[in-house]
Amino acid sequence: MERKLVVGNWKMNGDRVRNSALLDQLVGAMPAAVDCAVCVPFPYLPQVGESLVGSGVALGAQDVSEFPEGAYTGDVSVAMLADWGVRFVIVGHSERRAMHGESDLTVARKAAAALDGGLVPIACFGETLVERESGVTELVLLRQLDALAANLSPEALQGIVLAYEPVWAIGTGRAATAEQVQTVLALVRRWLADHVPAPERVRILYGGSVKPETAGGLFSLPDADGGLIGGASLDAQSFLEICQAAGSAAQGN
Ligand code: PEP
């Protein structure tokens, strides 16, 4: 994939004043050579969506219901997100898997609902430290990916964005090494070859403690199509530098 994709995940951070200050610094400064998005908390979708109009930065959400409507108190549907101009939605973030008990099946159903409703799901998958140290990383990742393939047609799966996020690297300041990341991304690319018509066209992101200093190296890996950025996306300068690193990586310098 020629253009990289960099997605900020604001998690449960921000308020109207801080959002506005952050967006003022981002809008107009984002490099044109990179596709960018910010996934923001539900209440701020209207505010952020309005600020991003004409900016080239896409609007994203951090979760979505697998159901279309009805008695699901607290949940938000695909149609509701689309109503606010949302283009991307994160599904299966490890924080939701761990804290809300989301299973591989639930994540796959959310991805299917998003695709069905015209949104692009960013499906997160990754191993815990215990799993890595027990030597079952590949097994765990393939289990998570296979659940997607079992619930999506090859044509639907073609429209997904995958985000490899080792759980031990998220919010810890300890990014995976380039070698660890490329080993997994290559595995995922091979897996894609068995499941979609055009495996090279599915974007695979890396997420986990990406910083401006590490972004260039990670985004230059042969199978890296960009990044999912948590903490560093809350600082305008850091997020801009990470996006610029993605632009440079796409141009091969
Ligand atoms: C994330 O939450 O998706 C993430 C990658 O967080 P961080 O960059 O803070 O590790």
Side-chain angles (χ1 to χ4, degrees), residues 9 11 90 93-95 124 165 169-173 206-211 228-233:
N9 173 15
K11 310 196 188 201
I90 297 171
H93 191 283
S94 63
E95 287 153 13
C124 300
E165 296 211 308
I170 296 178
T172 60
Y206 167 75
S209 295
V210 176
K211 300 281 180 281
L228 181 54
I229 317 299
S233 71

Side-chain angles (χ1 to χ4, degrees), residues 11-248:
K11 310 196 188 201
M12 198 174 72
N13 292 295
D15 56 41
R16 279 188 297 164
V17 174
R18 282 189 287 161
N19 298 347
S20 173
L22 179 55
L23 292 163
D24 281 351
Q25 295 175 76
L26 292 181
V27 170
M30 296 301 251
V34 183
D35 292 336
C36 294
V38 286
C39 294
V40 308
F42 292 138
Y44 299 121
L45 287 172
Q47 179 200 15
V48 177
E50 194 174 326
S51 300
L52 293 181
V53 170
S55 70
V57 180
L59 183 63
Q62 299 172 16
D63 184 38
V64 71
S65 174
E66 67 190 276
F67 303 108
E69 65 179 349
Y72 302 102
T73 303
D75 286 349
V76 170
S77 72
V78 170
M80 291 170 182
L81 296 182
D83 215 9
W84 284 108
V86 168
R87 169 131 183 77
F88 293 96
V89 61
I90 297 171
V91 295
H93 191 283
S94 63
E95 287 153 13
R96 293 209 62 85
R97 290 181 190 257
M99 297 174 204
H100 297 267
E102 290 192 9
S103 66
D104 295 337
L105 178 61
T106 299
V107 174
R109 286 181 174 157
K110 288 183 175 195
L115 285 160
D116 218 32
L119 303 192
V120 178
I122 300 170
C124 300
F125 62 100
E127 81 287 0
T128 63
L129 190 57
V130 170
E131 288 163 343
R132 176 161 282 267
E133 289 177 344
S134 319
V136 295
T137 297
E138 190 169 321
L139 215 65
V140 169
L141 301 182
L142 290 176
R143 188 203 73 218
Q144 293 172 333
L145 293 171
D146 284 345
L148 295 171
N151 288 278
L152 293 166
S153 69
E155 292 69 30
L157 194 58
Q158 184 71 58
I160 207 168
V161 172
L162 296 172
Y164 170 52
E165 296 211 308
V167 180
W168 48 272
I170 296 178
T172 60
R174 177 186 168 190
T177 65
E179 191 187 349
Q180 287 170 324
V181 175
Q182 177 52 29
T183 300
V184 169
L185 300 190
L187 168 79
V188 178
R189 195 72 70 190
R190 287 195 300 276
W191 179 87
L192 281 168
D194 290 334
H195 293 93
V196 299
E200 71 291 346
R201 298 198 62 76
V202 175
R203 279 168 156 159
I204 317 175
L205 312 183
Y206 167 75
S209 295
V210 176
K211 300 281 180 281
E213 312 82 63
T214 54
L218 291 164
F219 297 161
S220 300
L221 294 169
D223 288 296
D225 298 307
L228 181 54
I229 317 299
S233 71
L234 297 170
D235 178 77
Q237 192 54 35
S238 296
F239 192 56
L240 283 171
E241 284 177 27
I242 289 170
C243 291
Q244 282 153 3
S248 300

